[in-house]
Amino acid sequence: MVTPMELLRSNLSRVRIPEPTNRIYKQECCISFDTPKFEGGLFVDMSSFLAFGKDCVGSNYQKTGNPVYLHIKQTIKQVSEDRPLKKPTLLAIGVDGGFDNHEPEYEETYNIVILPDFVSLPFPSVELPEKVRLAVDTVVRAEGAEKKEQLASWTADKKQVSAYATNLIQIDTGVVVPPSGWKCCKCDKTENLWLNLTDGMIFCGRRNWDGTGGNNHAIEHYKETNHPLAVKLGTITADLEGADVFSYPEDESVEDPLLAQHLAFFGIDFSSLKKTEMTTAERELDQNTNYDWNRIQESGQESEPLFGPGYTGLVNLGNSCYLAATMQVVFSTSSFCSRYYKSQSLKEAFETAPADPTLDLNMQLTKLAHGMLSGKYSVPAQEKDGSFDSATSTTSTKQEGIPPRMFKSVIAASHPEFSSMRQQDALEFFLHFLDQVERANAGSPQLDPSKSFKFGIEERLQCPSGKVTYNKRVDYTLSLNIPLHEATNKEQLEAFYKLKSERSLEGKEVSNDEIVRPRVPLEACLEIFSAPEEVHDFHSSALKAKTTAIKTTGLTSFPDYLVLHMRKFVMEEGWVPKKLDVYIDVPDVIDISHMRSKGLQPGEELLPEEVAGSETVESSPSAYDNIVSQLVAMGFNNLHCKKAAINTSNAGVEEAMNWLLSHMDDPDIDDPISESVPLPVDQSQVDTLVSFGFQEDIAIKALMASGGNIEKATDWIFSNPNASAPSNMDATSSGAECSADGGLPDGGGKYKLLGLVSHIGTSTHCGHYVAHVNKDGKWVIFNDDKVGVSHNPPKDMGYLYFFERLSS
């Protein structure tokens, strides 16, 4: 009979000693969410260094034949209940001095296990072969790949020395700043005050998203004077390093190495001052420490926790709530549930995955689906004493949830922003996610669940000649403007604005209880989308001249799931982003049947084809009027907006804005648009992209949108599924024969509300996202790893609305 040690020695050739470049997984199974804390522990393949749970390690042995594993088992440590909690001193999570994760402490035990019979040998042991001891020691000491990739550990950036500090010009206006008793020069604010280091003027700080804070007088003073640096009064002490200095042109907190000299200019003796205010970083730390999730959950209403299949929370990896909220709604659809859960097992996905399943989107989507929908991980969280909290004990019961690290790593691999720790726009992530899913299913389009969201859009343009042209494209979301003038509570709004004006004259603010927000019906937003719109400077091939055309927009197909994006984020004058403080009245059932486009109708005559070489070939390209009007509404110059639209080939508002913001300092930005200059595209670059297999018109559009950079142009094509849409509204041929909407799902126009993703904060790149989903006849709130019954879902506060088509 072969002894365990003899069996191990016979398999030494299958044991590798990790190199510094090897990624070692030892915290989470690569194809499930099992960890060393689970009853079966975790098995690290000592050849590939991939980790597997007890239920999955057999599949790895069958696929690879690797028999030797390091078995890691974690058991909870007993911790004294009266252990003092440490107050965080650093804006960080999971590092010394940062926030306490409130995670119980564990102790690890190790064994060498040989498959297929799970023969076990203890570790450490001097009897083990040296190669095995060295290999296991290296694995145990190494930092796990999961920890390297996860975003739970984040820290605030260290302040940099301001570029404006060394040569700061100070103006002697006779101002001498007293040691106390400060007040804003423009209002009655006595807190959150900033001393401008150029002229010594004192103004209040910015107004917060919730109406608190200052009245923006400090930043208004900067806009008027361009005086760059200000220091927060109340943060100045003998330790000048702790003072809060802000640079307006650099738009961040900075370090001023000459602060003592700059303060002395205004008679400030910093050595005698005492700290009375928090710095910006300290306030952020305090807000994070005392953050009350109930504010964004449902006004503090108690929520009954939910457990089981379909009720699994997603652990926040550090500003990953945009991913968690979006995925909760996506995997509540039958298309994604069927594709990655009901129709595909973990074993099937693993068998078809490449050597490293952590890099395979299909595998990680299947892992995520099974983790969220099986109910295996939707259990009460383990307490620090090792017991499990009862699901019926209190309303504060939490669940373990699952950390979607490997999924995030794979889905973000081709997108540098989603790879970062920063907050992201849920809409951008949703579109990127669907694009990646479509690519992953390119070989089996019949299995692609992303097409359940896809629909066709048709634009009909009619010029004064009576002739028409049609343009088609496909999209995943219906992006809707919010017509504030259609608010249904105009009388209440007028009374509120009057009250606000009166309070402002008195130097006071309205309370949160007194705030009245516009209420706009969703129907009004849908009507704006399909309403007739004037398109100026439209070149008519029938009239041989530029004219004004009438554009109407409709849908050529109705998707299985209709996603509505509410355009709540706009740009105010000075490129300041603003979130519309508005409620959208959204019914549970909508009917968009009237929005179906009918295509070319009997009696309609198409605009004639433009003859090649005609004068219009030499004329300047036209800017899409809808793109220009939206940019103008944000406060940009009309000429600049037209140039932005033309130079991005009318690809969209976002592309045009990005071009505009990066070309505002161009010396020719104010020059009139040339009527005969050809498009600024190098033909050799076009030929290069064509050689890659792209169509020439798409190559031109991509190069224009990316400033002539071939690499960026390639990325642009892959990032814009609508790239093949006509690049110019001066099109003269009909889109009636276009197959852009061929093969798309279609059906009736009645939909019921399935879920919504809501957002709190001033920008899509900060704040917090939460999902509400209608499941099993009740509304459920998904707030990262917190899952519970929703008593009052914020249907009027959504950013993304997901509707499911009703069966006929």
PDB file of all heavy atoms in Angstrom, residues 597-629:
ATOM      1  N   SER A 597     -41.502  53.807 -35.517  1.00  0.00           N
ATOM      2  CA  SER A 597     -41.268  54.460 -36.804  1.00  0.00           C
ATOM      3  C   SER A 597     -41.844  53.596 -37.914  1.00  0.00           C
ATOM      4  O   SER A 597     -41.724  52.366 -37.882  1.00  0.00           O
ATOM      5  CB  SER A 597     -39.770  54.679 -37.018  1.00  0.00           C
ATOM      6  OG  SER A 597     -39.530  55.261 -38.273  1.00  0.00           O
ATOM      7  N   LYS A 598     -42.446  54.236 -38.892  1.00  0.00           N
ATOM      8  CA  LYS A 598     -43.127  53.490 -39.946  1.00  0.00           C
ATOM      9  C   LYS A 598     -42.284  53.336 -41.211  1.00  0.00           C
ATOM     10  O   LYS A 598     -42.674  52.634 -42.135  1.00  0.00           O
ATOM     11  CB  LYS A 598     -44.457  54.181 -40.291  1.00  0.00           C
ATOM     12  CG  LYS A 598     -45.423  54.258 -39.105  1.00  0.00           C
ATOM     13  CD  LYS A 598     -46.708  54.986 -39.507  1.00  0.00           C
ATOM     14  CE  LYS A 598     -47.710  54.989 -38.369  1.00  0.00           C
ATOM     15  NZ  LYS A 598     -47.231  55.700 -37.179  1.00  0.00           N
ATOM     16  N   GLY A 599     -41.138  54.012 -41.284  1.00  0.00           N
ATOM     17  CA  GLY A 599     -40.320  53.894 -42.485  1.00  0.00           C
ATOM     18  C   GLY A 599     -40.919  54.649 -43.665  1.00  0.00           C
ATOM     19  O   GLY A 599     -41.841  55.455 -43.511  1.00  0.00           O
ATOM     20  N   LEU A 600     -40.368  54.411 -44.833  1.00  0.00           N
ATOM     21  CA  LEU A 600     -40.830  55.093 -46.051  1.00  0.00           C
ATOM     22  C   LEU A 600     -42.299  54.774 -46.308  1.00  0.00           C
ATOM     23  O   LEU A 600     -42.690  53.613 -46.388  1.00  0.00           O
ATOM     24  CB  LEU A 600     -39.980  54.659 -47.242  1.00  0.00           C
ATOM     25  CG  LEU A 600     -40.223  55.400 -48.554  1.00  0.00           C
ATOM     26  CD1 LEU A 600     -39.822  56.871 -48.420  1.00  0.00           C
ATOM     27  CD2 LEU A 600     -39.449  54.742 -49.694  1.00  0.00           C
ATOM     28  N   GLN A 601     -43.105  55.821 -46.436  1.00  0.00           N
ATOM     29  CA  GLN A 601     -44.550  55.659 -46.614  1.00  0.00           C
ATOM     30  C   GLN A 601     -44.957  55.846 -48.072  1.00  0.00           C
ATOM     31  O   GLN A 601     -44.252  56.498 -48.855  1.00  0.00           O
ATOM     32  CB  GLN A 601     -45.287  56.688 -45.743  1.00  0.00           C
ATOM     33  CG  GLN A 601     -45.064  56.500 -44.243  1.00  0.00           C
ATOM     34  CD  GLN A 601     -45.604  55.173 -43.764  1.00  0.00           C
ATOM     35  OE1 GLN A 601     -46.806  54.916 -43.817  1.00  0.00           O
ATOM     36  NE2 GLN A 601     -44.709  54.313 -43.291  1.00  0.00           N
ATOM     37  N   PRO A 602     -46.086  55.249 -48.470  1.00  0.00           N
ATOM     38  CA  PRO A 602     -46.587  55.437 -49.840  1.00  0.00           C
ATOM     39  C   PRO A 602     -46.771  56.931 -50.138  1.00  0.00           C
ATOM     40  O   PRO A 602     -47.307  57.667 -49.307  1.00  0.00           O
ATOM     41  CB  PRO A 602     -47.936  54.696 -49.826  1.00  0.00           C
ATOM     42  CG  PRO A 602     -47.802  53.686 -48.732  1.00  0.00           C
ATOM     43  CD  PRO A 602     -46.943  54.320 -47.685  1.00  0.00           C
ATOM     44  N   GLY A 603     -46.299  57.351 -51.269  1.00  0.00           N
ATOM     45  CA  GLY A 603     -46.415  58.746 -51.664  1.00  0.00           C
ATOM     46  C   GLY A 603     -45.222  59.590 -51.272  1.00  0.00           C
ATOM     47  O   GLY A 603     -45.070  60.711 -51.770  1.00  0.00           O
ATOM     48  N   GLU A 604     -44.361  59.076 -50.367  1.00  0.00           N
ATOM     49  CA  GLU A 604     -43.174  59.826 -50.004  1.00  0.00           C
ATOM     50  C   GLU A 604     -42.105  59.662 -51.083  1.00  0.00           C
ATOM     51  O   GLU A 604     -41.947  58.580 -51.655  1.00  0.00           O
ATOM     52  CB  GLU A 604     -42.601  59.339 -48.670  1.00  0.00           C
ATOM     53  CG  GLU A 604     -43.378  59.804 -47.455  1.00  0.00           C
ATOM     54  CD  GLU A 604     -42.690  59.429 -46.153  1.00  0.00           C
ATOM     55  OE1 GLU A 604     -41.871  58.482 -46.154  1.00  0.00           O
ATOM     56  OE2 GLU A 604     -42.977  60.070 -45.136  1.00  0.00           O
ATOM     57  N   GLU A 605     -41.369  60.741 -51.330  1.00  0.00           N
ATOM     58  CA  GLU A 605     -40.314  60.707 -52.338  1.00  0.00           C
ATOM     59  C   GLU A 605     -38.971  60.969 -51.656  1.00  0.00           C
ATOM     60  O   GLU A 605     -38.828  61.919 -50.889  1.00  0.00           O
ATOM     61  CB  GLU A 605     -40.574  61.755 -53.418  1.00  0.00           C
ATOM     62  CG  GLU A 605     -39.590  61.688 -54.577  1.00  0.00           C
ATOM     63  CD  GLU A 605     -39.908  62.694 -55.668  1.00  0.00           C
ATOM     64  OE1 GLU A 605     -40.988  63.333 -55.599  1.00  0.00           O
ATOM     65  OE2 GLU A 605     -39.069  62.855 -56.582  1.00  0.00           O
ATOM     66  N   LEU A 606     -38.008  60.100 -51.967  1.00  0.00           N
ATOM     67  CA  LEU A 606     -36.688  60.239 -51.351  1.00  0.00           C
ATOM     68  C   LEU A 606     -35.908  61.384 -51.977  1.00  0.00           C
ATOM     69  O   LEU A 606     -36.063  61.692 -53.172  1.00  0.00           O
ATOM     70  CB  LEU A 606     -35.889  58.945 -51.515  1.00  0.00           C
ATOM     71  CG  LEU A 606     -36.423  57.713 -50.772  1.00  0.00           C
ATOM     72  CD1 LEU A 606     -35.618  56.483 -51.167  1.00  0.00           C
ATOM     73  CD2 LEU A 606     -36.353  57.941 -49.279  1.00  0.00           C
ATOM     74  N   LEU A 607     -35.072  61.991 -51.175  1.00  0.00           N
ATOM     75  CA  LEU A 607     -34.136  62.976 -51.706  1.00  0.00           C
ATOM     76  C   LEU A 607     -33.226  62.282 -52.717  1.00  0.00           C
ATOM     77  O   LEU A 607     -32.788  61.150 -52.482  1.00  0.00           O
ATOM     78  CB  LEU A 607     -33.296  63.587 -50.586  1.00  0.00           C
ATOM     79  CG  LEU A 607     -34.007  64.617 -49.701  1.00  0.00           C
ATOM     80  CD1 LEU A 607     -33.181  64.888 -48.454  1.00  0.00           C
ATOM     81  CD2 LEU A 607     -34.216  65.913 -50.473  1.00  0.00           C
ATOM     82  N   PRO A 608     -32.924  62.934 -53.824  1.00  0.00           N
ATOM     83  CA  PRO A 608     -32.094  62.275 -54.848  1.00  0.00           C
ATOM     84  C   PRO A 608     -30.658  62.092 -54.374  1.00  0.00           C
ATOM     85  O   PRO A 608     -30.177  62.780 -53.484  1.00  0.00           O
ATOM     86  CB  PRO A 608     -32.166  63.256 -56.029  1.00  0.00           C
ATOM     87  CG  PRO A 608     -32.452  64.586 -55.395  1.00  0.00           C
ATOM     88  CD  PRO A 608     -33.342  64.290 -54.219  1.00  0.00           C
ATOM     89  N   GLU A 609     -29.996  61.111 -55.003  1.00  0.00           N
ATOM     90  CA  GLU A 609     -28.578  60.878 -54.722  1.00  0.00           C
ATOM     91  C   GLU A 609     -27.778  62.087 -55.174  1.00  0.00           C
ATOM     92  O   GLU A 609     -28.055  62.682 -56.218  1.00  0.00           O
ATOM     93  CB  GLU A 609     -28.093  59.634 -55.471  1.00  0.00           C
ATOM     94  CG  GLU A 609     -28.719  58.338 -54.997  1.00  0.00           C
ATOM     95  CD  GLU A 609     -28.064  57.817 -53.744  1.00  0.00           C
ATOM     96  OE1 GLU A 609     -27.084  58.458 -53.301  1.00  0.00           O
ATOM     97  OE2 GLU A 609     -28.517  56.804 -53.197  1.00  0.00           O
ATOM     98  N   GLU A 610     -26.778  62.455 -54.373  1.00  0.00           N
ATOM     99  CA  GLU A 610     -25.903  63.564 -54.757  1.00  0.00           C
ATOM    100  C   GLU A 610     -24.893  63.055 -55.777  1.00  0.00           C
ATOM    101  O   GLU A 610     -24.313  61.979 -55.604  1.00  0.00           O
ATOM    102  CB  GLU A 610     -25.166  64.094 -53.528  1.00  0.00           C
ATOM    103  CG  GLU A 610     -24.508  65.431 -53.749  1.00  0.00           C
ATOM    104  CD  GLU A 610     -25.521  66.565 -53.827  1.00  0.00           C
ATOM    105  OE1 GLU A 610     -26.201  66.827 -52.820  1.00  0.00           O
ATOM    106  OE2 GLU A 610     -25.630  67.168 -54.896  1.00  0.00           O
ATOM    107  N   VAL A 611     -24.705  63.803 -56.839  1.00  0.00           N
ATOM    108  CA  VAL A 611     -23.753  63.407 -57.877  1.00  0.00           C
ATOM    109  C   VAL A 611     -22.337  63.650 -57.378  1.00  0.00           C
ATOM    110  O   VAL A 611     -22.017  64.727 -56.873  1.00  0.00           O
ATOM    111  CB  VAL A 611     -23.993  64.199 -59.177  1.00  0.00           C
ATOM    112  CG1 VAL A 611     -22.977  63.790 -60.241  1.00  0.00           C
ATOM    113  CG2 VAL A 611     -25.414  63.972 -59.661  1.00  0.00           C
ATOM    114  N   ALA A 612     -21.498  62.642 -57.498  1.00  0.00           N
ATOM    115  CA  ALA A 612     -20.104  62.772 -57.058  1.00  0.00           C
ATOM    116  C   ALA A 612     -19.427  63.905 -57.805  1.00  0.00           C
ATOM    117  O   ALA A 612     -19.601  64.065 -59.016  1.00  0.00           O
ATOM    118  CB  ALA A 612     -19.353  61.469 -57.295  1.00  0.00           C
ATOM    119  N   GLY A 613     -18.667  64.704 -57.095  1.00  0.00           N
ATOM    120  CA  GLY A 613     -17.949  65.808 -57.712  1.00  0.00           C
ATOM    121  C   GLY A 613     -18.723  67.092 -57.741  1.00  0.00           C
ATOM    122  O   GLY A 613     -18.252  68.094 -58.261  1.00  0.00           O
ATOM    123  N   SER A 614     -19.966  67.056 -57.213  1.00  0.00           N
ATOM    124  CA  SER A 614     -20.751  68.287 -57.203  1.00  0.00           C
ATOM    125  C   SER A 614     -20.200  69.245 -56.168  1.00  0.00           C
ATOM    126  O   SER A 614     -19.350  68.906 -55.364  1.00  0.00           O
ATOM    127  CB  SER A 614     -22.219  67.971 -56.889  1.00  0.00           C
ATOM    128  OG  SER A 614     -22.329  67.493 -55.572  1.00  0.00           O
ATOM    129  N   GLU A 615     -20.758  70.445 -56.129  1.00  0.00           N
ATOM    130  CA  GLU A 615     -20.219  71.472 -55.250  1.00  0.00           C
ATOM    131  C   GLU A 615     -20.347  71.104 -53.786  1.00  0.00           C
ATOM    132  O   GLU A 615     -19.570  71.563 -52.953  1.00  0.00           O
ATOM    133  CB  GLU A 615     -20.936  72.800 -55.496  1.00  0.00           C
ATOM    134  CG  GLU A 615     -22.442  72.730 -55.220  1.00  0.00           C
ATOM    135  CD  GLU A 615     -23.095  74.089 -55.366  1.00  0.00           C
ATOM    136  OE1 GLU A 615     -22.362  75.078 -55.382  1.00  0.00           O
ATOM    137  OE2 GLU A 615     -24.318  74.148 -55.445  1.00  0.00           O
ATOM    138  N   THR A 616     -21.301  70.221 -53.451  1.00  0.00           N
ATOM    139  CA  THR A 616     -21.464  69.879 -52.046  1.00  0.00           C
ATOM    140  C   THR A 616     -20.316  69.059 -51.521  1.00  0.00           C
ATOM    141  O   THR A 616     -20.096  68.997 -50.334  1.00  0.00           O
ATOM    142  CB  THR A 616     -22.778  69.085 -51.845  1.00  0.00           C
ATOM    143  OG1 THR A 616     -22.741  67.910 -52.660  1.00  0.00           O
ATOM    144  CG2 THR A 616     -23.963  69.923 -52.196  1.00  0.00           C
ATOM    145  N   VAL A 617     -19.573  68.410 -52.428  1.00  0.00           N
ATOM    146  CA  VAL A 617     -18.416  67.642 -51.974  1.00  0.00           C
ATOM    147  C   VAL A 617     -17.376  68.579 -51.389  1.00  0.00           C
ATOM    148  O   VAL A 617     -16.664  68.244 -50.450  1.00  0.00           O
ATOM    149  CB  VAL A 617     -17.821  66.825 -53.147  1.00  0.00           C
ATOM    150  CG1 VAL A 617     -16.534  66.161 -52.728  1.00  0.00           C
ATOM    151  CG2 VAL A 617     -18.824  65.808 -53.642  1.00  0.00           C
ATOM    152  N   GLU A 618     -17.325  69.807 -51.954  1.00  0.00           N
ATOM    153  CA  GLU A 618     -16.329  70.762 -51.492  1.00  0.00           C
ATOM    154  C   GLU A 618     -16.845  71.597 -50.323  1.00  0.00           C
ATOM    155  O   GLU A 618     -16.087  72.292 -49.684  1.00  0.00           O
ATOM    156  CB  GLU A 618     -15.927  71.696 -52.647  1.00  0.00           C
ATOM    157  CG  GLU A 618     -15.194  70.987 -53.774  1.00  0.00           C
ATOM    158  CD  GLU A 618     -13.904  70.353 -53.308  1.00  0.00           C
ATOM    159  OE1 GLU A 618     -13.218  70.959 -52.467  1.00  0.00           O
ATOM    160  OE2 GLU A 618     -13.577  69.255 -53.772  1.00  0.00           O
ATOM    161  N   SER A 619     -18.170  71.575 -50.098  1.00  0.00           N
ATOM    162  CA  SER A 619     -18.700  72.398 -49.017  1.00  0.00           C
ATOM    163  C   SER A 619     -18.375  71.780 -47.676  1.00  0.00           C
ATOM    164  O   SER A 619     -18.073  70.606 -47.576  1.00  0.00           O
ATOM    165  CB  SER A 619     -20.220  72.559 -49.173  1.00  0.00           C
ATOM    166  OG  SER A 619     -20.844  71.303 -49.027  1.00  0.00           O
ATOM    167  N   SER A 620     -18.458  72.592 -46.662  1.00  0.00           N
ATOM    168  CA  SER A 620     -18.093  72.115 -45.334  1.00  0.00           C
ATOM    169  C   SER A 620     -19.120  71.123 -44.820  1.00  0.00           C
ATOM    170  O   SER A 620     -20.294  71.206 -45.158  1.00  0.00           O
ATOM    171  CB  SER A 620     -18.006  73.303 -44.372  1.00  0.00           C
ATOM    172  OG  SER A 620     -19.290  73.869 -44.206  1.00  0.00           O
ATOM    173  N   PRO A 621     -18.694  70.182 -43.991  1.00  0.00           N
ATOM    174  CA  PRO A 621     -19.645  69.239 -43.399  1.00  0.00           C
ATOM    175  C   PRO A 621     -20.566  69.974 -42.433  1.00  0.00           C
ATOM    176  O   PRO A 621     -20.197  70.990 -41.857  1.00  0.00           O
ATOM    177  CB  PRO A 621     -18.743  68.247 -42.670  1.00  0.00           C
ATOM    178  CG  PRO A 621     -17.500  69.012 -42.377  1.00  0.00           C
ATOM    179  CD  PRO A 621     -17.317  69.952 -43.539  1.00  0.00           C
ATOM    180  N   SER A 622     -21.765  69.461 -42.266  1.00  0.00           N
ATOM    181  CA  SER A 622     -22.732  70.092 -41.371  1.00  0.00           C
ATOM    182  C   SER A 622     -22.654  69.480 -39.986  1.00  0.00           C
ATOM    183  O   SER A 622     -22.372  68.297 -39.828  1.00  0.00           O
ATOM    184  CB  SER A 622     -24.154  69.921 -41.927  1.00  0.00           C
ATOM    185  OG  SER A 622     -24.301  70.603 -43.144  1.00  0.00           O
ATOM    186  N   ALA A 623     -22.910  70.304 -39.011  1.00  0.00           N
ATOM    187  CA  ALA A 623     -22.973  69.823 -37.630  1.00  0.00           C
ATOM    188  C   ALA A 623     -24.402  69.436 -37.306  1.00  0.00           C
ATOM    189  O   ALA A 623     -25.347  70.140 -37.687  1.00  0.00           O
ATOM    190  CB  ALA A 623     -22.489  70.910 -36.668  1.00  0.00           C
ATOM    191  N   TYR A 624     -24.572  68.315 -36.608  1.00  0.00           N
ATOM    192  CA  TYR A 624     -25.907  67.904 -36.183  1.00  0.00           C
ATOM    193  C   TYR A 624     -26.476  68.994 -35.281  1.00  0.00           C
ATOM    194  O   TYR A 624     -25.860  69.384 -34.279  1.00  0.00           O
ATOM    195  CB  TYR A 624     -25.850  66.592 -35.407  1.00  0.00           C
ATOM    196  CG  TYR A 624     -25.860  65.345 -36.260  1.00  0.00           C
ATOM    197  CD1 TYR A 624     -25.556  65.394 -37.613  1.00  0.00           C
ATOM    198  CD2 TYR A 624     -26.167  64.112 -35.679  1.00  0.00           C
ATOM    199  CE1 TYR A 624     -25.559  64.241 -38.382  1.00  0.00           C
ATOM    200  CE2 TYR A 624     -26.178  62.950 -36.436  1.00  0.00           C
ATOM    201  CZ  TYR A 624     -25.864  63.015 -37.793  1.00  0.00           C
ATOM    202  OH  TYR A 624     -25.871  61.872 -38.548  1.00  0.00           O
ATOM    203  N   ASP A 625     -27.666  69.455 -35.614  1.00  0.00           N
ATOM    204  CA  ASP A 625     -28.280  70.529 -34.845  1.00  0.00           C
ATOM    205  C   ASP A 625     -28.573  70.098 -33.412  1.00  0.00           C
ATOM    206  O   ASP A 625     -28.433  70.890 -32.475  1.00  0.00           O
ATOM    207  CB  ASP A 625     -29.574  70.982 -35.522  1.00  0.00           C
ATOM    208  CG  ASP A 625     -30.192  72.175 -34.835  1.00  0.00           C
ATOM    209  OD1 ASP A 625     -29.590  73.262 -34.886  1.00  0.00           O
ATOM    210  OD2 ASP A 625     -31.262  72.014 -34.222  1.00  0.00           O
ATOM    211  N   ASN A 626     -28.975  68.832 -33.227  1.00  0.00           N
ATOM    212  CA  ASN A 626     -29.308  68.398 -31.859  1.00  0.00           C
ATOM    213  C   ASN A 626     -28.062  68.366 -30.966  1.00  0.00           C
ATOM    214  O   ASN A 626     -28.137  68.655 -29.773  1.00  0.00           O
ATOM    215  CB  ASN A 626     -30.003  67.035 -31.881  1.00  0.00           C
ATOM    216  CG  ASN A 626     -29.119  65.938 -32.422  1.00  0.00           C
ATOM    217  OD1 ASN A 626     -28.269  66.190 -33.271  1.00  0.00           O
ATOM    218  ND2 ASN A 626     -29.312  64.720 -31.955  1.00  0.00           N
ATOM    219  N   ILE A 627     -26.907  68.030 -31.549  1.00  0.00           N
ATOM    220  CA  ILE A 627     -25.664  68.035 -30.768  1.00  0.00           C
ATOM    221  C   ILE A 627     -25.281  69.471 -30.409  1.00  0.00           C
ATOM    222  O   ILE A 627     -24.948  69.774 -29.264  1.00  0.00           O
ATOM    223  CB  ILE A 627     -24.527  67.352 -31.552  1.00  0.00           C
ATOM    224  CG1 ILE A 627     -24.833  65.861 -31.745  1.00  0.00           C
ATOM    225  CG2 ILE A 627     -23.189  67.533 -30.842  1.00  0.00           C
ATOM    226  CD1 ILE A 627     -23.800  65.130 -32.579  1.00  0.00           C
ATOM    227  N   VAL A 628     -25.350  70.355 -31.398  1.00  0.00           N
ATOM    228  CA  VAL A 628     -24.990  71.754 -31.172  1.00  0.00           C
ATOM    229  C   VAL A 628     -25.908  72.386 -30.127  1.00  0.00           C
ATOM    230  O   VAL A 628     -25.457  73.063 -29.199  1.00  0.00           O
ATOM    231  CB  VAL A 628     -25.049  72.548 -32.487  1.00  0.00           C
ATOM    232  CG1 VAL A 628     -24.821  74.039 -32.227  1.00  0.00           C
ATOM    233  CG2 VAL A 628     -24.012  72.026 -33.473  1.00  0.00           C
ATOM    234  N   SER A 629     -27.214  72.137 -30.244  1.00  0.00           N
ATOM    235  CA  SER A 629     -28.171  72.765 -29.326  1.00  0.00           C
ATOM    236  C   SER A 629     -27.951  72.304 -27.891  1.00  0.00           C
ATOM    237  O   SER A 629     -28.061  73.093 -26.949  1.00  0.00           O
ATOM    238  CB  SER A 629     -29.604  72.457 -29.764  1.00  0.00           C
ATOM    239  OG  SER A 629     -29.861  71.066 -29.743  1.00  0.00           O
TER     240      SER A 629
END
